[in-house]
Amino acid sequence: MAAMRAVKLMVFNYLMVVYIFYNPTDSGAVQLNSENLDMTLASNELVFMNFYAEWCRFSNILQPIFDEAADKVRELFPDGGRVVMGKVDCDKENSVASRFHISKYPTLKVIRNGQPTKREYRGARTVDAFVDFIKKQLEDPIKEFHHLKDLEQLDTKKRIVVGYFDRRDQVEYNTFRRVATNLKEDCVFHVGFGETVAAMHPPGHPIIVFRPDVAVSDANDETFTGNMNNFDELNIWVQEKCVPLVREITFENAEELTEEGLPFLILFHTPEDTQSIKDYKTIIETQLMSEKQNINFLTADGKQFAHPLHHLGKSMSDLPLIAIDSFRHMYLFPNYKDIFVPGKLKQFLQDLYSSKLHREFHYGPDKTEDNTVEVIINQDPKKPTTPPESTFKNLGPSNKRYTLLKDEL
């Protein structure tokens, strides 16, 4: 018995040391390093990390703000295991900085359930903004409905995942909730329990259904057929459904998309035009899937992005239209209706890759195989032209906000 008590005491002391070490009570953000990082990530639902360098003036400006926010967050969420705001000195922790692909200071990353999210924090850098962000991150990611007819009122422009469960304490629901926590920025999650959804699934056999954004796509509902107790399997399936091949660019996500470094193929459309979005998505998904590693397929509200249209010499009355932004120049797809001609849009991309678009803008049209010159309307062959400069590159990470280690674009 004495030996057993001694073992229990050792285990208790060990757990207390771990709790104190990985859930410290000192003021400010937790200093993370290669020794305590993995345990911190594994033992907390949410970790908000500030990657900084002491010589970076933007890092020095941010540090007291981030530390003050960490103190407030600790007061709001005192229970261990929920949230930690941490900081990494990248000069001292090169391996940690490399692991998270840090290319600018300060970079703010979010880790949920031990997994990095795709998006960095790019919002306001104030104490209140950080605290509000943490609160939002810790909200329940799933909205419960109490009548099936409520599902008829869901936003058809949103990608939605709906779960039908017997009870909230089901193991499968816990897996569903973890997936929803990881992907709540990409999809809207809804759930119904018990009698509310009894007609939608057999007893003891929950169902998870993906509902596409039918207002702007021609996709159909799909039901998950895998193992609902397998987090990785469900997470991959939901991610494939919720992260579209064609994305909408907004002022909120433009910096993130630009930093990915891939040229943009953009459909500019009027706010009320959903048909051109459907057509564009269908063509991309059926003809250009093989190009997804080389280019970002985007749609853009022409009213919001009037400035790029102006650079192209176009206005709202010219929409819809398609253009490439290579982060050096912008190139206009000559005739929007040609997207319905198989191979035309793909050839436009090939002309970008081969530098033909850039070459022809500067030196006139290339000669064809029979040595004739392709006729281009309204172009004087004696006067080389210059394509409009990229406007979207200006929406990338700014050297007035970050210290950029290298030019990713």
Side-chain angles (χ1 to χ4, degrees), residues 369-384:
E369 291 182 359
D370 60 0
N371 286 326
T372 60
V373 176
E374 183 180 354
V375 176
I376 298 182
I377 299 174
N378 295 330
Q379 177 171 305
D380 181 355
K382 297 179 181 179
K383 183 180 180 181

Side-chain angles (χ1 to χ4, degrees), residues 36-132:
N36 67 358
L37 176 62
D38 287 332
M39 181 62 78
T40 302
L41 299 183
S43 59
N44 288 280
E45 179 181 340
L46 182 73
V47 181
F48 190 24
M49 299 172 67
N50 172 19
F51 293 86
Y52 70 94
E54 290 187 351
W55 50 263
C56 166
R57 67 187 183 95
F58 300 111
S59 296
N60 291 329
I61 293 171
L62 178 63
Q63 183 170 330
I65 299 170
F66 198 78
D67 283 339
E68 183 180 347
D71 290 338
K72 291 196 173 184
V73 166
R74 190 176 294 112
E75 293 175 5
L76 290 170
F77 303 99
D79 296 336
R82 294 229 52 201
V83 57
V84 162
M85 290 181 65
K87 54 189 177 184
V88 177
D89 184 338
C90 293
D91 284 337
K92 294 180 180 178
E93 300 294 333
N94 288 323
S95 62
V96 177
S98 297
R99 172 177 167 183
F100 289 92
H101 309 290
I102 304 304
S103 61
K104 61 187 185 302
Y105 302 132
T107 292
L108 302 173
K109 286 187 174 286
V110 180
I111 315 296
R112 290 198 197 105
N113 298 313
Q115 296 188 350
T117 62
K118 297 185 300 298
R119 297 179 177 87
E120 298 174 9
Y121 175 87
R122 300 177 189 269
R125 297 177 177 183
T126 66
V127 172
D128 288 342
F130 287 144
V131 172
D132 289 343

Side-chain angles (χ1 to χ4, degrees), residues 1 5 25 34 59 82 102 110 140 154 175 202 207 274 283 294 304 324 385:
M1 292 295 293
R5 283 196 298 271
T25 55
S34 56
S59 296
R82 294 229 52 201
I102 304 304
V110 180
D140 192 330
L154 301 182
T175 306
I207 289 178
T274 58
I283 290 166
N294 304 317
Q304 290 186 9
I324 287 174
T385 59

Side-chain angles (χ1 to χ4, degrees), residues 293-309:
Q293 303 301 322
N294 304 317
I295 198 153
N296 263 326
F297 301 109
L298 304 173
T299 64
D301 182 333
K303 187 174 183 179
Q304 290 186 9
F305 288 96
H307 183 60
L309 289 179

